Amino acid sequence: MPGKHFPLPVTEEEIVELTVDALDALVRRLTPRALDPRPADDGRATAQSQALTRLYVVWQLRSALDRLEYEAAQDAVAAGAGYPQLGRALNITRQGARNRWPDLISHPSHAPADPNPSRSSCDDHDPSL
């Protein structure tokens, strides 16, 4: 069942606004570094080049965020979270989390019926065995 099961000191809307502000500042810092250093022919070409470079940087940022999301999910699993908790953290279902990261949590293909295979089931019934 989706929904946060951990306390948030601020609202989701506040988190979004803080994140947008921080990411916008990052994109504005990265964009000039990604621009071709050669001068453009005119002001319009420069504005277009800057806008397209900013778009490219935002697109690359999405790839970086996907990677960070996966790493955060790995950390959560290492701390004991399963697909239900991962799903709740993203406000999606357990199945949605499993679809998003199908191999994040490895499950053995089959578990043995008896965790102690050296004992037979009749050991409990006949103490002489």
Side-chain angles (χ1 to χ4, degrees):
M1 177 168 169
K4 307 293 178 286
H5 293 270
F6 48 88
L8 291 175
V10 295
T11 67
E12 287 186 12
E13 293 79 18
E14 290 171 316
I15 291 173
V16 168
E17 287 304 315
L18 290 169
T19 304
V20 167
D21 290 346
L23 292 177
D24 185 51
L26 176 63
V27 168
R28 290 182 188 284
R29 275 199 339 258
L30 291 175
T31 297
R33 295 178 68 186
L35 276 170
D36 188 345
R38 293 175 288 171
D41 297 335
D42 60 23
R44 194 175 111 221
T46 301
Q48 183 183 59
S49 178
Q50 288 173 345
L52 290 172
T53 302
R54 182 169 180 258
L55 177 62
Y56 176 78
V57 169
V58 170
W59 179 63
Q60 290 298 323
L61 184 59
R62 184 181 311 272
S63 295
L65 287 172
D66 288 344
R67 187 167 113 193
L68 289 173
E69 178 185 76
Y70 183 77
E71 290 171 4
Q74 285 178 313
D75 290 346
V77 168
Y83 284 119
Q85 293 81 21
L86 295 174
R88 282 193 300 265
L90 297 181
N91 204 26
I92 60 176
T93 64
R94 173 189 59 79
Q95 292 89 349
R98 185 184 300 272
N99 289 339
R100 190 178 206 109
W101 304 296
D103 299 324
L104 186 62
I105 301 173
S106 59
H107 297 285
S109 58
H110 67 284
D114 184 353
N116 189 356
S118 63
R119 288 182 55 207
S120 72
S121 61
C122 62
D123 289 346
D124 293 332
H125 302 291
D126 186 353
S128 66
L129 294 176

